[in-house]
Amino acid sequence: VSTQSTWARRRGAPIRRRREPSRGEKDDVVMRVAGTSVPQMVAGAIANRIRDGSIAVLDAAGPASTHQMIKALAICRTYLEEDNLDIVARPEFVKSETGGPDGTGLNSVLRVTVEKYKVSSYRIHSDHPMKVAGSSDPKLTAGAIAHNVRDRKDCSVTALGADAVNNALKAVAIAGSYLSQDNLEVWFQPFYVDPDSNLLELSVLASYV
């Protein structure tokens, strides 16, 4: 996504037209995030790719890995502030030998594609963020996300802890599958709600295909 982005906030959730990947992007190396990965180091690697005009693709399997990945994305946004850059990320399920056949099993791999985006406020809260817990059903949360996007309402989810963050990202990915029939893709921007808190919020955006 270039800095001359076509994102446009209507009454609520931002909508943009999808752009085709630039040459070489489809062959980018996937970064695999582990539960022991250091978020600051992953964030630095993402930032370097974005500064170079590339995309970043990250895989995470399981709550601990997903938690570290989302932390890294939130931290990366702060690293890019001095470059007047920002990022958006699109989640999806990819096939895993240990995951379910439909790509939504507990051990499924969550893949996030990260692209450059024009600089925006680090924290863009919706009026009523959805709280996701470790016991939440991602499909139910996904349905609520899809409903808000279709209604052009601001939409975000908050999560604290590895299991909750994992469920939150699964919900955003599943919402993307629900909205594909509307020719929409789902993206998000993560941030720490408070500098002194570990509470993460994922602000949801939508994109025309």
Side-chain angles (χ1 to χ4, degrees), residues 85-107:
L85 294 173
D86 205 346
I87 55 173
V88 287
R90 179 175 58 83
E92 61 182 322
F93 293 101
V94 295
K95 292 181 180 179
S96 168
E97 293 181 358
T98 57
D102 59 353
T104 58
L106 292 176
N107 295 317

Side-chain angles (χ1 to χ4, degrees), residues 5-17 117-118 206:
S5 173
T6 52
W7 288 102
R9 184 175 291 275
R10 295 187 177 180
R11 187 166 59 86
I15 303 291
R16 74 169 180 108
R17 292 187 298 275
Y117 178 53
K118 66 180 181 180

Side-chain angles (χ1 to χ4, degrees), residues 52-169:
D52 288 342
S54 300
I55 66 171
V57 181
L58 297 86
D59 277 1
S65 300
T66 301
H67 196 199
Q68 299 303 85
M69 180 171 66
I70 297 301
K71 285 180 183 178
L73 291 171
I75 294 168
C76 176
R77 295 184 65 204
T78 67
Y79 290 173
L80 291 170
E81 284 179 342
E82 61 186 32
D83 301 289
N84 202 38
L85 294 173
D86 205 346
I87 55 173
V88 287
R90 179 175 58 83
E92 61 182 322
F93 293 101
V94 295
K95 292 181 180 179
S96 168
E97 293 181 358
T98 57
D102 59 353
T104 58
L106 292 176
N107 295 317
S108 298
V109 172
L110 278 165
R111 174 166 293 175
V112 170
T113 301
V114 186
E115 298 187 9
K116 180 170 63 177
Y117 178 53
K118 66 180 181 180
V119 68
S120 58
S121 174
Y122 180 69
R123 298 178 180 86
I124 300 179
H125 300 273
S126 64
D127 292 335
H128 303 287
M130 289 175 271
K131 296 180 181 178
V132 177
S135 58
S136 296
D137 184 340
K139 291 183 179 179
L140 292 178
T141 306
I145 292 172
H147 178 77
N148 283 342
V149 169
R150 290 185 179 116
D151 286 351
R152 300 290 191 267
K153 293 180 180 178
D154 288 335
C155 180
S156 68
V157 293
T158 60
L160 179 64
D163 289 330
V165 170
N166 189 50
N167 283 340
L169 188 60

Side-chain angles (χ1 to χ4, degrees), residues 31-34 36-48 56 58 68-73 75-76 79:
M31 290 184 269
R32 291 177 173 80
V33 182
T36 55
S37 296
V38 179
Q40 290 81 357
M41 294 183 66
V42 178
I46 299 168
N48 286 337
L58 297 86
Q68 299 303 85
M69 180 171 66
I70 297 301
K71 285 180 183 178
L73 291 171
I75 294 168
C76 176
Y79 290 173

